[in-house]
């Protein structure tokens, strides 16, 4: 959780608000004897609880600082770091250059022209951004793996279609409504440009149609009912949902990785390409990459991700959903990096816009999961 924090070199306690401590999921302890704190304006704050938290600075996401906070019931500031934190970390407040120095680490103050403090406090209080509790900041290097719209090409596996009946078939063309025809044409042009489809003269044809996405774009869908009926079905063992959830005990950080049009990153075997042919109002095409709707496409995709991640206990895969779960921030950094490097190594690309990195709770297989279950 990203919060603004005050640093006060004259405060005898590290303080956190009760609301923030609860929202961060931290374990709150009741003090046997309440403590009264007098603040600069003469008011008294009553400290009744304590909590152990972790501090991660925005500029130093790889460093974690354990902090013992006191909870003040009337506190207006969410987080305040005082003498205990500064002393323990041997911090140096460099007001001239606007920074905090902790050993060889430099944490800049936040540049905030709207910050106003009382005259006596100007030299001891500065504001900066930090991450508090268990909602961690994803490292900057994740952006290096963004596909920027490019669809990858995975060459270590191909999709094969084996027919039990090789009789040719030709399904009638589905009419394309005038309202979406322009968008279907645009989608076809994009798929042609990206090398996902090509023009076809195959004797096997299935009808295609467009479905509007929530964002207004078009998804091209092919009705492969006839083809699937004549296709030999694979018996690849799919994992169960229960298996995926049973291994998440003790995990505190989660990331969900979304491949950029994952099926389209897998090639169709050359001999199988004619079977994928489809017809539209604009003509006949066939897929060079694996399309949705083929009965054995899920098995091919599962075979791929099993091959890539089966040995990694922290990766949980169901169909095209990839979850990374770890017990600590440090471990999660290594796990996410390893997964992204594996994907990059085989030519796969991800869509970081649809990914969720370094979360204390995520949705996986339609269920919201966290360290509490």
């Amino acid at each position: 959780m990203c919060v603004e924090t005050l640093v006060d070199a004259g405060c005898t306690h590290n303080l956190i608000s009760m609301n923030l401590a609860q929202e961060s999921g931290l374990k709150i302890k009741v003090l046997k004897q309440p403590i009264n704190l007098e603040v600069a304006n003469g008011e008294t704050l009553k400290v009744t609880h304590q909590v152990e938290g972790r501090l991660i600075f925005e500029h130093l996401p790889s460093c974690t600082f354990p902090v013992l906070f006191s909870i003040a019931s009337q506190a207006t500031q969410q987080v305040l770091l005082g003498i205990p934190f500064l002393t323990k970390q041997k911090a140096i407040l460099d007001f001239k250059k606007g920074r905090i120095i902790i050993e060889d680490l430099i944490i800049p103050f936040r540049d905030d022209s709207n910050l106003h403090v009382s005259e006596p406090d100007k030299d001891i209080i500065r504001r900066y951004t930090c991450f508090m509790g268990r909602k961690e900041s994803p490292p900057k290097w994740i952006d290096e793996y963004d596909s920027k719209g490019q669809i990858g090409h995975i060459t270590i596996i191909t999709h094969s279609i084996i027919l039990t009946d090789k009789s040719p078939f030709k399904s009638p063309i589905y009419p394309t409504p005038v309202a979406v025809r322009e968008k279907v044409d645009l989608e076809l042009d994009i798929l042609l440009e990206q090398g996902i489809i090509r023009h076809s003269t195959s004797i096997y044809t299935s009808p295609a149609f467009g479905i509007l996405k929530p964002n207004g774009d078009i998804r091209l869908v092919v009705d492969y009912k006839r083809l699937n009926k004549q296709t030999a079905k694979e018996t690849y063992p799919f994992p169960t949902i229960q298996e995926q959830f049973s291994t998440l005990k003790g995990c505190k950080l989660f990331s969900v990785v979304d491949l950029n049009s994952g099926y389209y990153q897998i090639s169709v075997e050359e001999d199988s390409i004619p079977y994928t042919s489809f017809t539209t109002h604009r003509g006949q095409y066939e897929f060079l990459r694996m399309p949705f709707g083929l009965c054995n496409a899920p098995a091919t995709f599962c075979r791929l991700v099993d091959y890539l991640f089966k040995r990694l206990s922290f990766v949980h895969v169901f169909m095209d959903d990839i979850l990374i779960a770890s017990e600590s921030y440090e471990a999660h950094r290594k796990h996410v990096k390893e997964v992204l490097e594996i994907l990059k190594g085989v030519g796969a690309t991800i869509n970081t816009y649809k990914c969720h990195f370094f979360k204390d709770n995520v949705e996986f297989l339609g269920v919201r999961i966290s360290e509490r279950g």
Side-chain angles (χ1 to χ4, degrees):
M1 180 179 293
C2 184
V3 297
E4 288 188 334
T5 303
L6 290 180
V7 175
D8 188 346
C11 184
T12 57
H13 288 69
N14 304 312
L15 301 178
I16 186 172
S17 69
M18 177 64 80
N19 287 340
L20 181 59
Q22 292 173 336
E23 290 174 5
S24 301
L26 301 175
K27 188 175 181 180
I28 299 173
K29 299 178 182 179
V30 180
L31 292 177
K32 293 181 179 180
Q33 183 66 38
I35 302 172
N36 292 323
L37 297 179
E38 185 177 346
V39 295
N41 62 3
E43 294 181 357
T44 299
L45 296 180
K46 180 173 288 188
V47 175
T48 56
H49 299 76
Q50 281 187 335
V51 65
E52 293 182 1
R54 292 178 297 160
L55 191 69
I56 299 175
F57 294 96
E58 183 181 43
H59 299 82
L60 299 168
S62 62
C63 299
T64 303
F65 299 89
V67 182
L68 178 63
F69 287 100
S70 298
I71 299 178
S73 55
Q74 304 101 328
T76 57
Q77 180 67 32
Q78 286 190 309
V79 177
L80 184 148
L81 297 177
I83 294 174
F85 173 82
L86 298 174
T87 302
K88 182 177 180 180
Q89 302 302 333
K90 299 178 181 179
I92 299 174
L93 302 181
D94 184 353
F95 297 114
K96 185 176 182 179
K97 294 184 178 180
R99 60 185 183 174
I100 300 175
I101 303 173
I102 300 177
E103 295 183 354
D104 59 341
L105 305 177
I106 297 177
I107 306 157
F109 295 147
R110 175 175 174 179
D111 182 14
D112 192 344
S113 58
N114 295 320
L115 176 61
H116 299 284
V117 294
S118 59
E119 194 65 30
D121 294 329
K122 278 188 176 179
D123 290 334
I124 64 172
I125 299 179
R126 292 294 184 271
R127 186 177 297 196
Y128 59 90
T129 302
C130 70
F131 285 86
M132 176 64 215
R134 300 182 180 181
K135 296 183 180 179
E136 314 290 9
S137 169
K140 300 291 185 183
W141 47 255
I142 284 180
D143 293 337
E144 300 173 8
Y145 295 90
D146 184 39
S147 64
K148 295 179 175 61
Q150 296 299 312
I151 296 177
H153 188 193
I154 301 169
T155 58
I156 63 172
I157 192 172
T158 57
H159 182 72
S160 176
I161 301 173
I162 301 175
L163 299 185
T164 56
D165 177 5
K166 293 189 177 183
S167 302
F169 56 84
K170 186 174 183 180
S171 302
I173 299 176
Y174 288 169
T176 304
V178 176
V180 298
R181 183 168 295 186
E182 184 177 344
K183 291 186 176 182
V184 171
D185 288 342
L186 177 60
E187 180 67 11
L188 289 171
D189 289 338
I190 292 174
L191 294 176
L192 283 168
E193 183 181 350
Q194 293 178 330
I196 306 300
I197 63 174
R198 69 186 181 191
H199 293 280
S200 175
T201 58
S202 173
I203 58 176
Y204 302 90
T205 60
S206 300
F209 57 96
I211 293 181
L212 276 175
K213 299 179 182 179
N215 63 2
D217 293 339
I218 276 285
R219 174 181 285 114
L220 188 68
V221 179
V222 182
D223 184 357
Y224 283 123
K225 187 184 301 180
R226 183 70 181 273
L227 174 63
N228 289 336
K229 187 177 180 180
Q230 296 179 206
T231 300
K233 308 301 188 294
E234 287 195 47
T235 57
Y236 192 81
F238 293 101
T240 65
I241 295 178
Q242 290 76 13
E243 288 176 340
Q244 302 304 316
F245 290 135
S246 65
T247 55
L248 295 176
K249 185 177 180 181
C251 294
K252 299 178 181 178
L253 275 179
F254 308 91
S255 292
V256 177
V257 178
D258 181 81
L259 294 184
N260 189 24
S261 300
Y263 277 28
Y264 285 169
Q265 299 193 38
I266 300 174
S267 293
V268 177
E269 280 195 11
E270 189 67 33
D271 292 343
S272 299
I273 290 175
Y275 302 143
T276 69
S277 178
F278 63 94
T279 52
T280 71
H281 68 280
R282 224 175 69 170
Q284 184 177 351
Y285 305 88
E286 59 192 17
F287 277 95
L288 303 176
R289 304 286 184 88
M290 186 174 72
F292 292 92
L294 298 179
C295 60
N296 292 326
T300 296
F301 197 86
C302 282
R303 185 180 292 106
L304 168 66
V305 293
D306 279 352
Y307 172 78
L308 295 177
F309 304 122
K310 197 71 173 180
R311 62 183 179 82
L312 303 179
S313 60
F314 52 85
V315 179
H316 309 266
V317 181
F318 187 86
M319 305 296 282
D320 59 345
D321 293 305
I322 303 174
L323 171 73
I324 307 169
S326 314
E327 296 183 358
S328 69
Y329 180 82
E330 291 74 16
H332 202 61
R333 280 176 55 88
K334 295 177 182 178
H335 294 165
V336 171
K337 183 79 170 180
E338 185 172 356
V339 168
L340 296 184
E341 280 295 314
I342 289 174
L343 291 172
K344 181 180 179 181
V346 298
T349 57
I350 66 171
N351 184 355
T352 56
Y353 179 76
K354 292 185 178 181
C355 294
H356 301 280
F357 290 110
F358 290 76
K359 303 294 183 181
D360 63 352
N361 70 91
V362 294
E363 186 173 306
F364 182 59
L365 305 180
V367 177
R368 179 66 57 178
I369 60 174
S370 69
E371 67 173 296
R372 300 182 188 89

